[in-house]
Amino acid sequence: MTWNWEQDDWPNFSYDSSALKGFEEQFLHRSGLLFGAYKHINDEEKDTLKVDLISTEALKTSEIEGEFLNRDSIQSSIRRNLGLETDNRKIPPAEQGIAEMMVDLYRNFAKPLSHQTLFAWHKMLTSGRRDLKDIGRYRTHADPMQVISGPIGKEKVHYEAPPSTSMKAEMQRFLDWFKKTGPKGDEPLPALTRAGIAHLWFVSIHPFEDGNGRIGRALAEKALSEYLGHPALIVTSQTIQTNKKVYYAMLEQSNKDNEITEWLKYFSKTILEAQDETQTQIDFLIAKARFFETFQLNERQKKAALRMFKEGPKGFKGGLSAENYITITGTSRATATRDLQDLVLKGAFTKTGEFKSTRYYLKVKKE
């Protein structure tokens, strides 16, 4: 097998820019809509959205790599790093590390990309690790850097990256390109095109012992943020995680050839889907604010509604039952029945089913 980096045209990727034009236009249009919607929520809601989106990315970019972290710990660490009010819980190293990296990406997206930036991110990601030789620097091991699957003795090699001896040269060439193709560079590229190439190129080099996928996805977000002039704040990793097999299949397909139109089309569609999901979350926050402005609720009703809103745009799984309401509010069955009937009469909740099958749902108005 001849890998992309072994071919004569590496790393001069080729692609059909006309096939990407529509995606680039949609990205800019949706970015404008997101920015406009973002201005319609108050500062507290902006902080909530910021923490939710960053923590979702931190959680999902880790899950893509098979690492399942604690959301509450990640959110607590993010709030602490952003200077927001939080609890004083002890944060495990993995959660703290990914939170620090994502906050650094959010705060410093406009700073030039350097070896030192990447080394710092790698140190954050590998916080607490004792199994790696090279932390906060490019890999140096003599063994081939391979992406493999399958049991021992029957491994399948999906990709073999350039040798460790070439890392400094490969990464310097990558950094030079990243600077040159930025919005203020000598050869600026459209947003999605640059972000898609950056991600594929970086993971093709695979410069670190571990963490290459997470850093590669962060680089794509940095490229988009640089183009927009503000943090992109979209749930790219959540969108990828939803259909992870396709993501890995596209990466594998694209590491054998330097004609990458299909990769860039896939990547562009993924970013547009991520924008849609972010728009849904902003709309949900606006709807939540209007809900509490519209309806006068007692403390029990408010507590139950807040618990339901906590589940996000997809709502309370299976609907809210009277038993759920009693558990959440600590009230009696008779009071729960009166409260729920009142919420339906006010138009705050909708009701489905009868008797033990009765379920209640938030009635939120969407834009």
Side-chain angles (χ1 to χ4, degrees):
M1 173 63 67
T2 302
W3 306 109
N4 52 5
W5 58 272
E6 296 177 303
Q7 298 172 25
D8 292 339
D9 56 351
W10 169 263
N12 299 315
F13 299 104
S14 59
Y15 51 90
D16 179 5
S17 57
S18 65
L20 306 173
K21 185 178 179 182
F23 296 125
E24 299 284 4
E25 290 172 349
Q26 288 183 62
F27 172 74
L28 293 179
H29 176 68
R30 295 184 192 189
S31 295
L33 294 177
L34 280 172
F35 189 68
Y38 189 70
K39 290 193 296 186
H40 283 85
I41 58 178
N42 63 38
D43 289 343
E44 183 179 350
E45 291 162 346
K46 284 175 182 172
D47 286 340
T48 298
L49 179 68
K50 189 190 308 177
V51 171
D52 281 349
L53 293 176
I54 295 175
S55 61
T56 295
E57 275 303 279
L59 196 71
K60 295 301 179 180
T61 197
S62 301
E63 284 184 15
I64 290 170
E65 306 302 327
E67 187 174 10
F68 295 86
L69 305 180
N70 182 275
R71 175 182 285 275
D72 290 339
S73 292
I74 288 175
Q75 288 202 339
S76 179
S77 184
I78 288 171
R79 293 186 69 87
R80 190 176 302 167
N81 277 281
L82 289 173
L84 302 173
E85 185 179 345
T86 187
D87 53 34
N88 292 315
R89 73 174 65 202
K90 185 176 180 180
I91 310 298
E95 282 82 351
Q96 182 175 324
I98 187 65
E100 287 178 350
M101 190 192 86
M102 298 304 289
V103 171
D104 185 75
L105 171 63
Y106 170 82
R107 281 181 166 163
N108 299 311
F109 73 89
K111 288 187 177 180
L113 184 64
S114 66
H115 297 292
Q116 289 67 36
T117 302
L118 295 170
F119 294 163
W121 285 359
H122 191 249
K123 281 184 179 179
M124 294 172 192
L125 271 185
T126 55
S127 176
R129 295 280 294 271
R130 297 289 183 269
D131 58 322
L132 300 177
K133 175 185 175 184
D134 298 309
I135 291 179
R137 64 184 182 184
Y138 300 133
R139 56 184 164 88
T140 60
H141 58 74
D143 296 337
M145 171 58 85
Q146 294 179 327
V147 178
I148 62 175
S149 67
I152 295 175
K154 295 183 180 180
E155 299 95 340
K156 177 183 177 181
V157 177
H158 298 275
Y159 181 63
E160 183 174 316
S164 297
T165 53
S166 68
M167 286 303 96
K168 187 174 181 180
E170 289 285 359
M171 286 306 299
Q172 187 59 56
R173 181 161 52 177
F174 172 79
L175 291 174
D176 290 343
W177 169 87
F178 197 85
K179 179 180 179 181
K180 180 173 63 177
T181 57
K184 298 179 181 178
D186 295 332
E187 300 175 19
L189 285 175
L192 297 177
T193 303
R194 180 169 176 254
I197 294 174
H199 179 45
L200 178 63
W201 189 347
F202 181 85
V203 296
S204 293
I205 299 173
H206 236 69
F208 294 110
E209 274 191 78
D210 195 18
N212 295 289
R214 282 163 285 183
I215 293 176
R217 288 184 288 276
L219 286 173
E221 182 168 334
K222 176 174 171 60
L224 296 175
S225 299
E226 286 182 353
Y227 192 94
L228 296 172
H230 57 77
L233 280 180
I234 55 174
V235 287
T236 305
S237 294
Q238 176 178 293
T239 309
I240 290 172
Q241 170 66 8
T242 301
N243 204 342
K244 185 170 66 172
K245 287 184 179 180
V246 175
Y247 170 68
Y248 279 125
M250 289 304 302
L251 282 175
E252 185 172 355
Q253 176 183 314
S254 304
N255 63 32
K256 301 177 178 65
D257 197 328
N258 292 314
E259 205 297 319
I260 58 169
T261 301
E262 289 306 310
W263 162 259
L264 291 176
K265 285 165 65 176
Y266 157 78
F267 184 82
S268 297
K269 290 175 184 175
T270 299
I271 296 299
L272 294 179
E273 288 177 23
Q275 284 184 303
D276 285 345
E277 179 60 30
T278 304
Q279 183 69 61
T280 297
Q281 293 197 35
I282 293 176
D283 290 344
F284 182 72
L285 271 180
I286 294 172
K288 176 183 174 182
R290 290 184 177 174
F291 179 91
F292 287 108
E293 288 171 1
T294 302
F295 302 110
Q296 297 297 315
L297 310 180
N298 64 40
E299 289 304 310
R300 295 181 303 276
Q301 292 171 328
K302 189 180 295 184
K303 188 174 183 180
L306 284 169
R307 177 62 184 84
M308 294 172 77
F309 272 111
K310 189 178 179 181
E311 293 300 308
K314 293 182 180 179
F316 205 87
K317 189 174 181 180
L320 180 81
S321 67
E323 294 296 333
N324 295 146
Y325 190 89
I326 292 168
T327 300
I328 293 167
T329 61
T331 193
S332 67
R333 184 171 299 278
T335 301
T337 299
R338 286 195 300 271
D339 281 354
L340 289 166
Q341 288 175 345
D342 180 56
L343 285 163
V344 173
L345 287 172
K346 285 176 175 174
F349 282 12
T350 58
K351 173 185 171 184
T352 63
E354 293 292 339
F355 305 111
K356 290 186 177 181
S357 298
T358 302
R359 295 294 182 271
Y360 300 89
Y361 300 86
L362 290 166
K363 189 174 182 180
V364 293
K365 295 180 180 179
K366 298 179 180 179
E367 292 294 312

